[in-house]
Amino acid sequence: MARDNLRMIRKSPWVFHFNSGGCNGCDIEVVAAFTPKYDVERLGMTLTSSPKHADILVVTGPVTRQVAGSLKMIYDQMPEPKIVIAIGTCACSGGIFRGGYNVIGGVDKIIKNVICVPGCPPNPRAIYSVIKKLYDNKIGGDEGNGSSRS
Amino acid sequence: MKVMGAVDLRRDKDSSVVLVSPDSFPEAIKATIPSYPHLITITAVHIDGGIELIYSFDNLRGEMRNIIVRLPEKEASIQSISSYLKGSYIYEMEVRDLFGVNFLGHPIPSARLLLPDSYPTNAPPPLLKTVSLEQLSRILDEAQRQEPPTMLTPVTGSSRYSVESLVILPFGPYHPALKEPEHFAIALEGERIVEAMPRIGYVHRGIEKLAENRTYLQVLFLVERVCGICSFHHSWTYTMAVEKLLGITPSKRAEYLRTLVAELERIHSHTLWIGLLGYWSGFDTMFMWLWSARERIMKLLEMIAGNRVNKSFITIGGVRRDVSDEKLKIILREIAEFEREFRKITDEVMSYDPLIERVRGIGSYNAETAILSGAVGPVLRAAGIPYDIRKIEPYGAYPEISFNVITGSRGDVLSIADVRVRETFESIEIIRQVIEKIPSGNPVPPTFFTGGGRDGEAIARTEPPRGELYYYIRGRTGMKTPYRVKIRTPTLPNLVLASEALKGYTLSDIPLILTMIDPCFSCEDRAIVYVGRRDPFIVKLHRTPPREISGGCTL
Ligand code: SF4
């Protein structure tokens, strides 16, 4: 599945956005990427409110203890094939909150095979270009092999 | 000039500080509330083998009164004041969670506010000085190993609800109608909401404990990330408190530049919110219009600071880089462009009948409810109370700028939207004045402050887009790290109001009413209203008799 992730998704890829305890900075930039200036919607993407309709899981935040279970469950509910993108340094590693008593520190502690987009927060242009690369099928997670960086 | 907000709490001679014993505490509170109706927050500090509680009040005109009471470290307990001031219950829960203080007569006894469900009941409260960050992490990791994280299934207590016809609907934490994780137990009678009980804390990162483990300069970058929308206000308020603690005065130009960035932040935040209002009322075009107009402001912020969101523009003693005259000219030009665009869009949407009809009279509340809940910012101003820290306790360049405090005449979604639109225009005017009056000089300190603190405490308040933000810092001589950093964000009291305002409306109004306060749960997440599965408890309804809800209801 590794490299052919998106090729296997025949429909326009839909995105489910999960805030796992971030500062809201990444979340707003993700939403901004969907608005006219960056407009990833032109690639057929849209934000969906049900994980069961989603092909891409976008996770922001350092994963607090309280949401870890929900994250796992939402990931499990998504149909195969699925792609997980960790947006922001927090989601990649815990970022500035690493070491806090209530943060687990990074999406890859819960889900394997994550594409990391570091930045605090990454610019919508960066988010756009990652999604565009994915769309053009240039990168994909290495299955079962921890995270790969974009 | 009186240094507003900076109280040398112990040495102050005026009446703004009252030290009381636990016995005379209720009298002192009763005597204070009539003239100081706004409880800003309750700050707890674990110090010298005891727990100090600082109740900070404001008379809604900028005069503060701090009531300080000292409790023993073991089995600390004190009378709850939520029967006098409804909004205090949420602060009391916060202190109970983080310091283990018991509040007698609290409407929601033994419930958690902030900590995760997996937090063992026998573990020490996290903010006590006797427990280190490493110990805490070890305890929690261990607890998690025994019980791996699972999805929380909020159990409804409908069958146990004393009124048979009520249904309790669990709402969230991840729900299509919510943009951020939070949970509500909504008690419904048919489609009508009878009671809404929030349970937040999904975004609790333990920032206050982290802050005690990092140096003064490092904390600046940490608090900036409390919230990615008002990031600059967090770093500014923190910096103000540190500067007051250490007696540092930034240059005039630095104060003007800080004001400039703060007002740009207000514009982008308000534009974002008005866009979301369109989104939640099914007017997607409005959302897209406003968010694309907002990009102009984001570009300016990026030009000034090099980053759009977490700007790291400010530093202790000044700002990190100057803004050249050419850039100031660009800001003037772009802001005029933005004003034109923004006026066109808001004229268009605010006269669009379907939108007005959708939001008029939704989530209505009056000034009294707002004050009792402790509401702040545009939410309080929409009900007609001109409570704006920029005016009543001016900081930065605000003493030299003329601007109006925008108020509405009634509290509901429409009037809050109106207040935010008018405030945006006011901010544009402020920016023009700032650029016109900005003095020359060097705003960048010669070296970054990397030192430690000194004995003392300081309070700083600002007015971010969502309302009053409050920081309290306690320092110790010879310590590189702050002894205590306490943050009170605007969403916390506003959430109490939103839960009140939901009552009487229908399920389909929930997104709009919650959006009304412009909630920012990242900011606020030091708060959870949680009730253990088997704990019977009483939810006290505002002005209605207490109703018992027992058993499995996760609030
Ligand atoms: S990476 Fe930075 S902007 Fe993103 S959630 Fe974390 S702190 Fe906020």
Side-chain angles (χ1 to χ4, degrees), chain A residues 83-148:
Chain A
I83 296 173
V84 183
I85 309 182
I87 300 272
T89 312
C90 280
C92 297
S93 66
I96 196 157
F97 305 114
R98 204 186 173 111
Y101 58 85
N102 201 32
V103 301
I104 291 181
V107 180
D108 55 359
K109 300 262 167 62
I110 307 290
I111 302 170
K112 290 278 165 272
N113 198 9
V114 177
I115 296 168
C116 287
V117 186
C120 187
N123 196 296
R125 290 188 289 269
I127 299 174
Y128 174 80
S129 69
V130 169
I131 290 189
K132 179 76 168 60
K133 270 189 194 154
L134 258 180
Y135 186 78
D136 295 343
N137 206 359
K138 294 214 177 81
I139 57 168
D142 277 341
E143 201 168 18
N145 201 9
S147 57
S148 65

Side-chain angles (χ1 to χ4, degrees), chain A residues 34-69:
Chain A
F34 281 83
T35 56
K37 186 158 180 205
Y38 309 99
D39 200 11
V40 300
E41 291 195 350
R42 78 183 106 144
L43 305 176
M45 300 198 176
T46 181
L47 283 172
T48 166
S49 44
S50 165
K52 298 195 176 185
H53 301 169
D55 310 291
I56 300 179
L57 175 64
V58 163
V59 189
T60 56
V63 189
T64 63
R65 291 186 197 273
Q66 181 74 1
V67 304

Side-chain angles (χ1 to χ4, degrees), chain B residues 86-98:
Chain B
K86 185 185 164 66
S88 67
Y89 84 93
I90 208 147
Y91 303 130
E92 291 176 345
M93 295 183 85
E94 181 183 356
V95 173
R96 178 164 70 201
D97 243 26
L98 300 178

Side-chain angles (χ1 to χ4, degrees), chain A residues 22-27 61 87-91 96-97 119-122, chain B residues 225 309-310:
Chain A
C23 78
N24 242 339
C26 286
D27 309 79
I87 300 272
T89 312
C90 280
I96 196 157
F97 305 114
C120 187
Chain B
R225 284 153 182 86
V309 175
N310 292 322

